[in-house]
Amino acid sequence: MIKRPTYENMVQRIGRASLLLAFFLPVGAQAATSEWMTSTGGMIRLVAAAPQQDGTIPATLEVKLNPGWKTYWREPGASGIPPQVTLDPAEGVVLEKIGFPVPKTFDDGVVRYVGYDKSVAFPLTLKRLHGEGDVTIRASVFLGICEDICIPVQGELNLTLKQGDFDNPLDAARIDGAVAALPEAPSENFKVARAVYDERKAVVQLSLRLPPDAAKEHRDLFLAGPSGVAFGKPVITNAEGAELQAEIPVRLSGKDKTLKGKPVILTVRADGRSMETTLAFD
């Protein structure tokens, strides 16, 4: 069975290649890091590469967890805090997107939440709006990490990308490794075959086509919606062969109590692979 490389393996492979080619790397491959921001449960820092021609700045938010600690996915559950990054607009850099590796579900019988129990890197897509030369990034970061209870972590991470400077090639490898660890796009043998919102039952009904070699015991679904939309624990109704059918309870709050027209992000884990797509309900 061919398995997708882990984030750690990917960083190691890219890192070894980067060291061999260090003196031949173009300016665009350079990267810089902020200082670590420390907390009781771990450390957090920002890694960013030089701007590309279109102004895009590849970057990651690295969360290094101490043993026994966890942090949260984009939809963490009832009491978690997802990663939030806010950039200082005065520096002329904006955040366009945060990427999330496939998470895990934690359920102790009382509390159910979604996140990570190992160190994780969240790819960031930043954009330089104008100007040339050095780039300064000032990011306010807010996220939750937990052991027995959740601890909010908040602080500022700063770094400067100096034009023409050469920095540690392993930093660029870390960014590439974080991007490689993201879920893949839908494909012919790994996609949503059908997605329906049953308003009367208040459930999303999914039919998925999975890779033919995916083991039955390693299948997980994760859904995230906009504010006012929450999802319960998925119930697998059929898992024969490369097909999977499931129902996911939907809880709506606020004034607009409907799922129609609202984007829902679906992430699927099937053995060693993961896929992510956006659902829309008419």
Side-chain angles (χ1 to χ4, degrees), residues 12-269:
Q12 291 172 358
R13 293 176 188 176
I14 297 172
R16 285 194 291 268
S18 298
L19 287 173
L20 290 173
L21 299 175
F23 292 102
F24 304 98
L25 285 172
V27 170
Q30 70 187 23
T33 64
S34 69
E35 296 293 329
W36 286 104
M37 180 172 68
T38 60
S39 72
T40 304
M43 301 187 297
I44 304 161
R45 72 173 178 178
L46 189 67
V47 182
Q52 300 176 355
Q53 288 188 346
D54 64 354
T56 298
I57 302 174
T60 66
L61 179 69
E62 289 191 359
V63 181
K64 186 175 181 180
L65 295 170
N66 292 336
W69 289 77
K70 302 175 182 69
T71 193
Y72 297 97
W73 188 56
R74 56 159 60 94
E75 178 58 61
S79 59
I81 304 172
Q84 301 171 46
V85 179
T86 305
L87 299 188
D88 183 350
E91 303 299 342
V93 179
V94 297
L95 172 64
E96 293 190 332
K97 184 179 180 181
I98 301 180
F100 290 83
V102 62
K104 295 172 61 176
T105 299
F106 303 93
D107 191 339
D108 60 7
V110 178
V111 178
R112 178 180 177 273
Y113 60 94
V114 179
Y116 310 89
D117 59 358
K118 295 181 180 179
S119 297
V120 61
F122 302 101
L124 308 177
T125 301
L126 311 181
K127 189 70 174 285
R128 186 181 196 178
L129 298 179
H130 51 74
E132 297 180 353
D134 298 350
V135 180
T136 297
I137 300 172
R138 302 184 188 279
S140 295
V141 178
F142 182 57
L143 73 162
I145 59 175
C146 67
E147 190 178 33
D148 297 323
I149 60 172
C150 180
I151 299 176
V153 179
Q154 187 170 15
E156 186 173 283
L157 299 174
N158 302 320
L159 63 81
T160 299
L161 295 163
K162 293 187 176 295
Q163 188 175 39
D165 273 7
F166 182 80
D167 211 328
N168 186 350
L170 287 178
D171 292 335
R174 290 184 177 95
I175 297 173
D176 292 340
V179 172
L182 292 177
E184 61 191 77
S187 59
E188 186 59 32
N189 70 347
F190 199 179
K191 66 181 182 179
V192 176
R194 180 173 177 268
V196 175
Y197 172 51
D198 188 324
E199 191 170 9
R200 182 178 62 84
K201 294 183 178 180
V203 298
V204 168
Q205 298 171 334
L206 294 177
S207 179
L208 305 171
R209 181 173 297 171
L210 305 183
D213 57 352
K216 290 185 179 181
E217 62 270 21
H218 297 133
R219 299 176 176 184
D220 294 299
L221 305 177
F222 309 94
L223 284 85
S227 177
V229 179
F231 298 94
K233 183 178 180 179
V235 177
I236 306 299
T237 57
N238 183 25
E240 294 299 324
E243 301 293 326
L244 185 147
Q245 295 177 346
E247 291 190 346
I248 302 93
V250 181
R251 295 188 293 271
L252 302 172
S253 59
K255 295 181 179 179
D256 184 15
K257 293 188 178 182
T258 180
L259 196 59
K260 295 180 179 180
K262 297 179 180 178
V264 173
I265 298 174
L266 168 69
T267 302
V268 183
R269 185 206 305 274

